[in-house]
Amino acid sequence: MDKLGLFDYGGGAFHCVYLSENDIRIFKEKNLTIVTNPGSNCKLASGVAPIDRYIKEGIILAIGTDGAGSNNGLDFFYEMRLASSLQKIINNDASAGQALDILKAATIGGAKALRLDNCDILSEGKLADIIMIDLLRPSMQPINNIKKNLVYSGSKDLVKMTMINGQIRYMDGQFFVNQPIDEIYKKAQEITDNLRKN
């Protein structure tokens, strides 16, 4: 793919469980992104990506979920915890899979992977794409190291608010998506029933 010029303008790859030394060299030279999908890789028993190695090599790392067919949960907090824990296991090292590295991959890394330079960090002039976490929950207390709390104890149930480009889309259990949420669920069920029939 590299010889065909596929990576001349960036890009990257998903999973990247088994990269050769040459693959790693190409990723570094072309500034490509790796999107790891630990939940999917576990469900499919396809292996564990050595993301600590990729981070040490300076490769941009993002975290993904893959699709619902190979990862039913689609929960980023679960993916962060898995990404970190699996590094500890494959490296036989409790210090592997550092929480800050994992949190960066789940946030800044995702923006970089998609070349969304306008929402990679919270800064004046950039899109306000943020979530607000309820820290007054047992899993977040006591607050000693918030990065570790988020990676090891966080869950989607702690999300109080989701904002996209400055617009609140979810707050305290209510969705603001210009369509009744029950209609979205109904349509999703119709599609699922259709697929099962066919």
Side-chain angles (χ1 to χ4, degrees), residues 7 88 104 167:
F7 303 130
K88 297 173 190 317
K104 282 181 179 177
Q167 293 187 349

Side-chain angles (χ1 to χ4, degrees), residues 81-102:
R81 188 162 46 257
L82 263 182
S84 177
S85 299
L86 290 170
Q87 291 311 292
K88 297 173 190 317
I89 291 169
I90 66 167
N91 291 294
N92 197 26
D93 178 1
S95 69
Q98 289 287 312
L100 181 57
D101 290 334
I102 300 302

Side-chain angles (χ1 to χ4, degrees), residues 14-137:
F14 291 88
H15 303 284
C16 298
V17 174
Y18 304 107
L19 290 188
S20 69
E21 291 299 320
N22 192 47
D23 294 332
I24 291 171
R25 179 189 59 76
I26 292 168
F27 268 75
K28 287 168 64 175
E29 285 178 4
K30 301 288 186 174
N31 201 30
L32 304 177
T33 301
I34 289 173
V35 182
T36 186
N37 303 269
S40 171
N41 296 148
C42 284
K43 185 177 180 186
L44 299 176
S46 56
V48 178
I51 60 175
D52 264 16
R53 162 90 192 271
Y54 301 154
I55 291 167
K56 284 181 182 123
E57 294 285 354
I59 297 171
I60 299 167
L61 179 71
I63 295 177
T65 60
D66 206 344
S70 69
N71 183 344
N72 303 65
L74 306 179
D75 180 343
F76 256 64
F77 291 96
Y78 174 70
E79 297 299 326
M80 287 194 295
R81 188 162 46 257
L82 263 182
S84 177
S85 299
L86 290 170
Q87 291 311 292
K88 297 173 190 317
I89 291 169
I90 66 167
N91 291 294
N92 197 26
D93 178 1
S95 69
Q98 289 287 312
L100 181 57
D101 290 334
I102 300 302
L103 193 56
K104 282 181 179 177
T107 54
I108 297 167
K112 285 184 177 177
L114 296 171
R115 305 294 193 255
L116 298 174
D117 298 329
N118 59 348
C119 65
D120 54 345
I121 60 171
L122 291 178
S123 179
E124 188 176 342
K126 297 206 175 199
L127 299 180
D129 288 1
I130 59 174
I131 61 171
M132 182 170 64
I133 303 293
D134 185 355
L135 297 178
L136 298 176
R137 298 283 292 275

